[in-house]
Amino acid sequence: AGTWPKHETNSCQNRLPAMTQDEGTRRPLELIRIDNHGKCHVQERAADIISQLHGKLAVVGVAGLYRTGKSFLLNRLLGSQTGFEIGGTVNACTKGIWVWGEPIEIEQDYHCLLLDTEGLGSAQRTASCDMQILSLCVLLCSNFIYNSMGSIDEQAIDDLHLVLHLAKHIHARSCDGDIQRASDLKDYFPQFLWVLRDFHLRLVDGEGQSISEKQYLESSLSSVPGHEDKNRLRNVIKELFKMRDCATLVRPLVNEEELRNIHRVPYESLRPQFRQQTENFVTKVFDELQPKAIQGTFVSGPAFVALATEYCKAINASAVPTIQSAWSSAVQEQLRLCQRNAIHIYQAGFQQEMHGKLPMSEDKLHDMHKVAKARAMDAFLTPRLDEATPKLHECRSDTASRIKQIFEDAKEENRSASKLLCESVAVDLYKTRIECKLLSTGHDSFQSVELLMHSWEQLRQEYTAATAGPSQGEVLSVWLFQQMAESVQKLSSNLQRAADGRYGRLKQKYSEVEHSRRRSESVERLLLAVPTMTERHLIPTLTEQVRCYQDAVAKRRAGLAAVDDLHGQMLSYQWRLRVIENQLATADTATSHPSAVTRSRSTCSLVGSVAGIRQQCEEVMATLGEYGTHHVLSPPGLPIRRAEAEHQNGVEHLRKLATETFEEVSTETRQLISGETGNLEWSKIAAVLQDRQRRCRDQLDEACAGWREASNGVQPAGEEVLRAWSGLAAAADGLVYALCSGPGRPQPALLQALSSSAARVMEVELVDSAGLDGLESSDAKSTANQAQGMIVPRTFSASSEVSQVEIKTFSPEARLRLVISVLERLRDAECLHRVGKAFLQQSSLGTTTIQPASTANEQLVPWLVETLLEATCQAAQSGDENNTLGLLNLCHNLGGMAFADAVRSRGSRTKTWKGAKPVQLAEAAGHHRVVRLLQSWPDIEDTNSGGCTCVGLRRPPSSGSLSAFKSSKQIGAGVREKSLPQRIKGALSAAGGWRRGNRGYSKFGA
């Protein structure tokens, strides 16, 4: 219980709950008043204070003969000299039962009440009234203190004669005719502490040994043989109070006058022995303090008040107080009050939250219900009744049912308010947003079903924002959707009538326009069917020269490849022959000198040749750099230098060849020396080596003859390339001049010839440039070129539209100047799409890796990009699905998804379509299938049963379907990195503003 106050300065008020800390409660309050007619009345003021204590409650009550100092003992429990009234006359100071107004806080949710009772045996009260006071004190206390004067003798025990009647005036349960024993009450009676005032005896037993106060009490209550009447009272005391103790106090003062006014005497002026015994008494009371409990359930403040009320009712009705009945009535009354309070709290909180907010969503209403219900149930459980209380679960369920009914009523009210609001808002929105436009015939009316549905969507959003509650979806799905269907049907009828009228008018105009178009096309066909003399001569010439140029470059590339292959074979046979000759010399020495020493030395030499083979391999590796950087021709031809990007590949090829050759030779040598090396064996070894030497020389001679023959074929192939280029350049010069100087629109045949030629030449530069290695000629280099097997082409003049100087050289710069000049003229004529279409129809760019030439790729790849873009725009505008799909696939094969996406999303640079993207052109022309293709590619199905018929197109993995192109990593892993090497990507960056991203080249610029 802690340390309790021992004097007036150590007040316990700081341990009291905040609700009792006021001047009005720091005094004794009358708890039960007994009027002159013997009726008991519970006082409201004290009951209200006690009802606020919802935890455990310990009750200490003092009873005894009047004028024996009971109030003084309670004041000492309070640690004060004042508190309960103390008088010095023969009249009783306390009437009825009083309680200290400040309950003592033992710990959290555990308080102690101090009860002071009217003195027994007063001349002003009857024996019946004394019985009532004693019964109420015993029934209400958890710790009962009986105060008497002197020692425990027969007179003191006789003064407790009222205890004999407690069993008659108090029942543990309804007896129903059964005789109740005193032992039936022991479980309900409090602890008993007998305080002996003015005690002056020594506590010793019959042998003079010291005994405790409790032992003294038990000795006094022991049976006296032969005195049944005296023993009966002793036995009743022991049966009723199973937990009992005793405390003795000496006379506090010697002076009688001071004793009569002891409440005015300072506590420190009392006898020291009395003060010490008083402190021991206080400590004993609080150490043995226990909470009030009935049937294992702790009694709270409200239950205590209810018990007191029930006991008073029984006494007033001249009935015997029954503890169990009173407890059940108290519990029921407490549950009834808790239920009423909980329902009141729920209604107040719930209705306050709902006020002015209906309608609302059911979820929000349910959340408010949960909060209010939680508060109500917390209030219901505030008294902290034991869960084992029979009526608790029943009352809690009843409370929850009543709360649920209130909630259901609130839900119905919310549903009605929601329906009223939703219907009102729906009608207003329909009239202002839909109906007025349906009835209008002006520009603000609906021109399409899409506009109507857009308005309905806006109406739905406004309706959702303006309404709430459970009827929101119901009104939307029933009333508004019905109005929507009717409005769509009405608008469709209106639009159909308007469309029929417009169709008739447009049909008439279409007939007139079609007639004019046919006449214009007839005249245009007649004019275009008459080409000039120059065009009739140059167009087939250009076509033939371009074909010859392509074939000659391919032939020369094949010849150089054959030269490289045969030269590598020659080197391999030479390396092999050198090793065999060294081994053969060792074998000859061993066979010509058959001594053991010679054979041993030869064996060691042959075994050591394996290490020599590795050394020869390293020496050969060190000299391969010169061979790998050139195409080596047989004399008198000079080596032709490879392109810069091919140097490393040539060197790596020769190193791999050398490694394989020397590994084979090393393996053959190990097999040769695996057996014994006697005289007969060395003869066999020499024979094997001679056979290998003969076969290797034959193979070397055969490879050398093929090498010479391939080298001799390089020069004629170079001459064919130069002759074809000379004719191609002259024909292109003439056609460009005709394109720039001719009147009116250019001839389609002329444009087609230049476009196809430009595409073929670009293909040679981008794909087949290996056939042009070392093939350069000019006036300054003609002598050296002739010495290398090349000729100087005849000069031909070029117009100022192609170049400001005569084309006298065959070099990458000269070829690029001619191709770019043609492309620029085609762009001026807005015909670059023809070049892109030519790539799609006859190019092998989709299946061949672009060669990493330095200058050509950097300058031609941007033109390749622009031609494919314009071709895609033209195909989209004309609604050509096959060409659109083919061009997208070609772009994908060249540069991956990023490249194809850039072509789809970039705008045309032509004057007619400047800025328009392919999808915009297709949409403007009404080609919806092409629009879907451009928007969804490659995640769409190709619906053309025949597939794409374009030549040279690398199709997706799944025939007729683009669904396989799901991941840019899958489609770009091989194609993008191989077909667009780093130097090509640099050209794209310089010309078009490409930037490297997570998926390759993510943006296309100029």
Side-chain angles (χ1 to χ4, degrees), residues 893-905:
N893 292 337
L894 288 173
M897 282 298 299
F899 183 78
D901 290 341
V903 171
R904 282 193 297 174
S905 59

Side-chain angles (χ1 to χ4, degrees), residues 11 52 202 206 265 288 407 488 701 723 740 813 865 885 974:
S11 174
Q52 299 179 48
R202 293 176 56 216
V265 178
E288 298 177 359
F407 176 58
V488 171
D701 294 340
R723 282 196 297 270
C740 297
E813 293 77 12
V865 172
L885 178 61

